[in-house]
Amino acid sequence: MEAYTPYLWDLGRIAFMFAICLGLAGPLTWAERRQSAMIQDRIGPNRAALTLFGREIRAFGLFHPIADVIKLITKEDTINIHADRFLYNVAPFIALFPALMTFAVVPFGPDITVGGEVHRLQVARMDAGILVVFAISSIAVFGVTLAGYASASKFALLGGLRASAQMISYEVTMGLSVLGLVLIFGTLEPSAMVVAQGELIGGWLPRWGVFVQPLSFIIFFTAAIAENKRIPFDMAEGESEIVGYFVEYSGMKFGMFFMAEYIEITVVAGLLTTLFFGGWQVPYLMDGVEFVNAAGTTIVGTGFHFPWGGQLYTGEWVGAGLRVGAFLFKLIFLCWLQLMLRWTLPRFRYDQVMTLGWRRLLPLSLANLVLTAAVVLLI
Amino acid sequence: MSTSANTSTKQGTISGSSTGSGSSTGASRAENSAGTPREEHMLLNMGPQHPSTHGVINLRVESDGEMILRVTPEVGYLHRSIEKIAEKVSYNGFMPYTDRVDYVAAMTANEGYAMVMERILGLVDEVPRRAYYLRVIASELCRIASHHVATGTMVMDVGAYSPFLWWLREREAINDFMEALCGARLTYNYMRIGGVMADLPPGFDRRVIRWLDHFEPSIDEFNRAASENKIYIERLAHLGVVDRDMAIAWGLAGPNLRASGVDFDVRKNIPYSVYPELEFDVPVGRGWCGEVGDSYDRYYVRILEMKESCRILRQALEGIPEGDTMAKVSRKLKPERDEAYAPVESARGEMGYYVVTDGEENAYRLKVRTGSFTATQIMQALGAGVLIADLVALFASFDVVAPELDR
């Protein structure tokens, strides 16, 4: 049994990661529809019901994702006769796979000690964690481009071409925007970055990425939405123009593209949380600080140490719970923010997206990098 | 000689390859205008089923990747022979068919036909003034509803979905008014030769005024959400510029014409009904965000027209006289041999009915002139050289309604 314990921990971590990614993808489709309904003064989906013991349970339409999946799975799977069958079938998997993989490097909680052993709450801890994110996300281009190419449809082809050009362009910007943070925190490893973000600037402001690199946050967020191909960058889909690279797909294969989009929302939110919003850090919740308890004895442990003088001992376990909770809260908030953007803005034109990427955001992120490097060098 | 040969080959290859569906197999090998060697162009059928055409219109696009080289609008998918039907049904019986000419603003289509028949029968002065006011109220409500669809779908085509549904919510209120007025929500059949079908229901004016109080500020809200959005302006400004001469040469009508700086409104220039008694302005394109006659102007003229319609509605609801709603018209109409033309300002510009009578119970010939047709044909001139995404916004800016285009 002892020999298997590390593997059980690994399985547990992977299960938790999948629970976040897939578990959020379903509710996100519901949230998107419900959210848009709120914005647009509609009621939104509320009809999928479950009848239990003669009572109809609607739960605000929360069963809709399940109904959607049943519909998608039972739908006829059509393939255009001119399509390249192999690539056509494999493309949705290539699109979905990198979206699921990227989350592996995102730490969802602090290291915890169980039975004298330190366990990480992160699936894969690699020294080049950030680089792995970019390496994997560049594979996602293939899924979209192949889908467009293999469908044997001109509209899908246009969508695939748009998507490939856009994703490759914005990856450059995205990578450069993160380098400033790498310089400041001196590491490429996400969990080390999160730990570094636990410090305070001037004794009160958390040293979160968004505070030390605000410009980089805006650039990264913009590029991440472009990478995810959502409005205002949904050139590849452009529902009123070319309908999208997945126009020929039906059933669950379309569903996989759809799922990939929502998992990517979660991944983008996860990366933003990790890089810019202190990951699992709760402001002023610190490890290894001294506390004076009611009996007057001093203990060293985890707890809140407020800048205005108050303190609150939580202990390691409650602290870890709070931190995982904080991570999930930030994650869901950033997902919600992306949904809000989707229903607020119009769409750019193809050439405007390219201009924005190469001629505005790229020079801006380069300037940001040079400035950050100079400041880091001088301090 | 060589030029004409080139052109014919070009067209031949395009129509020949239109059945191919593969992107590489279906690409037409056409020579470009410079006469340089063969280049791969793509033939794209945007329509008849395409989300941006809002109805069944086919834009055949020859493109080089994203860049459009030529656009050929193909019309006729929604042709229902309405003009021919007019030759077979009685004069009163044709009124419901006019609804189907333009079902987005059916009231003005009603009004045009009623007016042309009143001219034939010499009833223009006998129609009660209350009926004229009722027609104005119904038509202006309909104009607002139609511009809701025009501007809303335009914003939607550019990618912002939410403002479109806000407008549909407002349009729903107008549909309710129409239902109260005549029992129908889309094809009203409200007007009659010699008047209107029914008087205002009780409390109608108060309900409309209350709605206007809510609606007029919501135009500003819509502007903040959509019209003033930077992405939206950048998409539309300087796109598809139609200058004054071009607009007149291509026969544009209504808001599309006025966006190009031509101050022409049938309600002002060829006055009819009680419009001379009402005070309103005619918005003309000024190049608000780009230049005069660009897509943004065509869009914004419609927004301003909604405000003007609100002004007209308030005046009409206040100044409506008491009295009958129908002139005395015999059930069976057998006008003498005659002909007449009556234009009205529909939401899509000058809508003219031309009718020739020959002493029978049905028309010898009836012709409907609509604004959508000329707006569609100008796509040939404007479509070349824009991107595919632009074509969608450009086409939306002309507010083409398929049934009005084909009739």
Side-chain angles (χ1 to χ4, degrees), chain B residues 15-30:
Chain B
S15 53
S17 65
S18 64
T19 44
S21 52
S23 52
S24 50
T25 54
S28 66
R29 293 183 156 270

Side-chain angles (χ1 to χ4, degrees), chain B residues 25-45:
Chain B
T25 54
S28 66
R29 293 183 156 270
E31 296 184 51
N32 67 11
S33 52
T36 43
R38 285 149 121 64
E39 216 177 338
E40 292 266 332
H41 290 169
M42 188 158 77
L43 180 81
L44 204 59
N45 276 303

